Coordinates of all heavy atoms in Angstrom, one line a residue:
D25 N 11.5 8.7 10.2 CA 12.6 9.4 9.6 C 13.3 8.5 8.6 O 13.8 9.0 7.5 CB 13.6 9.8 10.7 CG 13.4 11.1 11.3 OD1 12.8 12.0 10.5 OD2 13.6 11.4 12.5
L26 N 13.4 7.2 8.8 CA 14.0 6.3 7.8 C 13.3 6.4 6.5 O 14.0 6.5 5.4 CB 14.0 4.9 8.3 CG 14.7 3.8 7.4 CD1 16.2 4.2 7.3 CD2 14.5 2.4 7.9
T27 N 12.0 6.5 6.5 CA 11.3 6.7 5.2 C 11.6 8.0 4.6 O 11.8 8.1 3.3 CB 9.7 6.5 5.5 OG1 9.5 5.2 6.1 CG2 9.0 6.6 4.2
Q28 N 11.5 9.1 5.3 CA 11.7 10.4 4.7 C 13.1 10.6 4.1 O 13.3 11.2 3.1 CB 11.3 11.5 5.6 CG 12.4 12.0 6.6 CD 12.0 13.3 7.2 OE1 11.3 14.1 6.7 NE2 12.7 13.6 8.4
F29 N 14.1 10.1 4.8 CA 15.5 10.2 4.4 C 15.8 9.3 3.2 O 16.5 9.6 2.3 CB 16.5 10.0 5.5 CG 16.5 11.0 6.6 CD1 16.4 10.7 7.9 CD2 16.5 12.4 6.2 CE1 16.4 11.7 8.9 CE2 16.5 13.4 7.2 CZ 16.4 13.0 8.5
T30 N 15.2 8.1 3.2 CA 15.4 7.1 2.1 C 14.8 7.6 0.8 O 15.4 7.5 -0.3 CB 14.8 5.8 2.5 OG1 15.5 5.3 3.7 CG2 15.1 4.8 1.4
L31 N 13.6 8.2 0.9 CA 12.9 8.7 -0.3 C 13.0 10.1 -0.6 O 12.5 10.6 -1.6 CB 11.4 8.4 -0.1 CG 11.0 6.9 0.2 CD1 9.5 6.8 0.3 CD2 11.5 6.0 -0.8
A32 N 13.8 10.9 0.3 CA 14.0 12.3 0.1 C 12.7 13.0 0.0 O 12.5 13.9 -0.8 CB 14.9 12.6 -1.2
V33 N 11.8 12.7 1.0 CA 10.5 13.3 1.0 C 10.3 13.9 2.4 O 10.3 13.1 3.4 CB 9.3 12.3 0.7 CG1 8.0 13.0 0.9 CG2 9.5 11.8 -0.7
D34 N 10.1 15.2 2.5 CA 10.0 15.9 3.8 C 8.6 15.5 4.4 O 7.6 15.8 3.8 CB 10.0 17.4 3.6 CG 9.9 18.2 4.9 OD1 9.7 17.5 6.0 OD2 9.9 19.4 4.9
R35 N 8.6 14.8 5.5 CA 7.3 14.3 6.1 C 6.5 15.4 6.7 O 5.4 15.2 7.1 CB 7.6 13.2 7.1 CG 8.4 13.5 8.3 CD 8.7 12.2 9.0 NE 9.6 12.4 10.2 CZ 9.1 12.5 11.4 NH1 7.8 12.4 11.7 NH2 10.0 12.6 12.4
Q36 N 7.1 16.6 6.8 CA 6.3 17.7 7.3 C 5.6 18.5 6.2 O 4.9 19.5 6.5 CB 7.2 18.7 8.1 CG 8.0 18.1 9.3 CD 7.0 17.6 10.3 OE1 6.1 18.3 10.7 NE2 7.3 16.4 10.9
N37 N 5.9 18.2 5.0 CA 5.4 18.9 3.8 C 4.1 18.2 3.3 O 4.2 17.1 2.6 CB 6.4 19.0 2.7 CG 6.0 19.9 1.6 OD1 4.8 20.1 1.3 ND2 7.0 20.4 0.8
A38 N 2.9 18.7 3.6 CA 1.7 18.1 3.2 C 1.5 17.9 1.7 O 0.9 17.0 1.2 CB 0.5 18.8 3.8
E39 N 2.1 18.9 0.9 CA 2.0 18.9 -0.5 C 2.6 17.7 -1.2 O 2.2 17.3 -2.3 CB 2.6 20.2 -1.1 CG 1.8 21.4 -0.8 CD 2.3 22.6 -1.5 OE1 3.0 22.5 -2.5 OE2 2.1 23.8 -1.1
I40 N 3.6 17.1 -0.6 CA 4.2 15.9 -1.2 C 4.0 14.6 -0.4 O 4.8 13.7 -0.6 CB 5.8 16.2 -1.4 CG1 6.4 16.5 -0.1 CG2 6.0 17.3 -2.4 CD1 8.0 16.7 -0.2
S41 N 3.0 14.6 0.5 CA 2.8 13.5 1.3 C 2.5 12.2 0.5 O 2.7 11.1 1.0 CB 1.6 13.8 2.3 OG 0.4 14.1 1.6
K42 N 1.9 12.4 -0.7 CA 1.6 11.2 -1.5 C 2.8 10.5 -2.0 O 2.8 9.3 -2.4 CB 0.8 11.6 -2.7 CG 1.5 12.5 -3.7 CD 0.6 12.9 -4.9 CE 1.3 13.7 -5.9 NZ 0.4 14.1 -7.1
F43 N 4.0 11.1 -1.9 CA 5.3 10.5 -2.3 C 5.9 9.8 -1.1 O 7.0 9.1 -1.3 CB 6.2 11.5 -2.9 CG 5.7 12.2 -4.1 CD1 5.3 13.5 -4.1 CD2 5.6 11.5 -5.3 CE1 4.8 14.1 -5.3 CE2 5.1 12.1 -6.5 CZ 4.7 13.4 -6.4
L44 N 5.4 10.0 0.1 CA 6.0 9.4 1.3 C 5.4 8.0 1.5 O 4.4 7.8 2.2 CB 5.7 10.3 2.5 CG 6.5 9.9 3.8 CD1 7.9 10.2 3.6 CD2 5.9 10.7 5.0
N45 N 6.0 7.0 0.9 CA 5.5 5.6 0.9 C 6.3 4.8 1.8 O 7.4 4.3 1.5 CB 5.6 5.1 -0.5 CG 5.1 3.6 -0.6 OD1 4.5 3.1 0.4 ND2 5.5 3.0 -1.7
P46 N 5.8 4.5 3.0 CA 6.6 3.7 4.0 C 6.8 2.2 3.6 O 7.6 1.5 4.1 CB 5.8 3.8 5.3 CG 4.4 4.0 4.8 CD 4.5 4.9 3.6
Y47 N 6.0 1.8 2.5 CA 6.1 0.4 2.1 C 7.0 0.3 0.9 O 7.1 -0.8 0.2 CB 4.7 -0.1 1.7 CG 3.6 0.2 2.7 CD1 2.6 1.1 2.4 CD2 3.6 -0.4 3.9 CE1 1.6 1.4 3.4 CE2 2.7 -0.2 4.9 CZ 1.7 0.8 4.6 OH 0.7 1.0 5.5
H48 N 7.7 1.4 0.5 CA 8.6 1.4 -0.6 C 9.7 0.2 -0.4 O 10.1 0.0 0.7 CB 9.3 2.7 -0.7 CG 10.1 3.0 -1.9 ND1 11.2 2.3 -2.3 CD2 9.8 3.8 -3.0 CE1 11.7 2.7 -3.4 NE2 10.8 3.7 -3.9
H49 N 10.0 -0.5 -1.5 CA 10.9 -1.6 -1.3 C 12.3 -1.2 -0.7 O 12.9 -2.0 0.0 CB 11.1 -2.3 -2.7 CG 9.9 -3.0 -3.2 ND1 9.8 -3.6 -4.5 CD2 8.7 -3.2 -2.6 CE1 8.6 -4.1 -4.6 NE2 8.0 -4.0 -3.5
A50 N 12.7 0.0 -1.0 CA 14.0 0.5 -0.5 C 13.9 0.5 1.1 O 14.9 0.1 1.8 CB 14.3 1.8 -1.0
V51 N 12.8 1.0 1.6 CA 12.6 1.1 3.1 C 12.6 -0.3 3.7 O 13.3 -0.6 4.7 CB 11.3 1.9 3.4 CG1 11.1 1.9 4.9 CG2 11.4 3.3 2.9
I52 N 11.8 -1.2 3.0 CA 11.7 -2.6 3.6 C 13.0 -3.3 3.5 O 13.4 -4.0 4.5 CB 10.6 -3.3 2.8 CG1 9.3 -2.7 3.0 CG2 10.6 -4.8 3.2 CD1 8.1 -3.3 2.2
R53 N 13.8 -3.1 2.4 CA 15.1 -3.7 2.4 C 16.1 -3.2 3.4 O 16.9 -4.0 4.0 CB 15.7 -3.5 1.0 CG 15.0 -4.3 -0.1 CD 15.7 -4.1 -1.5 NE 14.9 -4.8 -2.5 CZ 15.2 -4.7 -3.8 NH1 16.2 -4.0 -4.2 NH2 14.4 -5.3 -4.7
L54 N 16.0 -1.9 3.8 CA 16.8 -1.4 4.8 C 16.5 -2.0 6.2 O 17.3 -2.2 7.0 CB 16.7 0.2 4.8 CG 17.4 0.9 3.7 CD1 17.1 2.4 3.7 CD2 18.9 0.7 3.7
I55 N 15.2 -2.2 6.4 CA 14.7 -2.8 7.6 C 15.2 -4.2 7.7 O 15.7 -4.7 8.7 CB 13.2 -2.8 7.7 CG1 12.7 -1.3 7.8 CG2 12.7 -3.6 8.9 CD1 11.2 -1.2 7.8
E56 N 15.1 -5.0 6.6 CA 15.6 -6.3 6.5 C 17.1 -6.4 6.8 O 17.6 -7.3 7.5 CB 15.3 -7.0 5.1 CG 13.8 -7.2 4.9 CD 13.5 -7.7 3.5 OE1 14.3 -7.3 2.6 OE2 12.5 -8.4 3.3
T57 N 17.8 -5.5 6.2 CA 19.3 -5.5 6.4 C 19.6 -5.2 7.8 O 20.5 -5.9 8.4 CB 19.9 -4.3 5.5 OG1 19.7 -4.6 4.1 CG2 21.4 -4.2 5.8
T58 N 18.9 -4.3 8.5 CA 19.2 -4.0 9.9 C 18.9 -5.2 10.8 O 19.7 -5.5 11.7 CB 18.3 -2.8 10.3 OG1 18.6 -1.6 9.5 CG2 18.5 -2.4 11.7
V59 N 17.8 -5.8 10.6 CA 17.4 -7.0 11.4 C 18.4 -8.1 11.2 O 18.9 -8.7 12.2 CB 16.0 -7.5 11.1 CG1 15.7 -8.8 11.8 CG2 15.0 -6.4 11.4
K60 N 18.8 -8.4 10.0 CA 19.8 -9.5 9.8 C 21.1 -9.2 10.4 O 21.7 -10.0 11.1 CB 20.0 -9.6 8.3 CG 21.0 -10.8 7.9 CD 21.3 -10.9 6.5 CE 22.2 -12.0 6.1 NZ 23.5 -11.9 6.9
N61 N 21.6 -7.9 10.3 CA 22.9 -7.6 10.9 C 22.8 -7.6 12.4 O 23.8 -8.0 13.1 CB 23.3 -6.2 10.4 CG 23.8 -6.2 8.9 OD1 24.2 -7.3 8.4 ND2 23.7 -5.1 8.2

């Protein structure tokens, strides 16, 4: 869910699955922020 909400990509929509990138820097930075806090 963190990936789909961060990238505004519905993970249930197969047509746009290529845009659902869990390695996106924004996702990784949010994980880093969460762990640090």
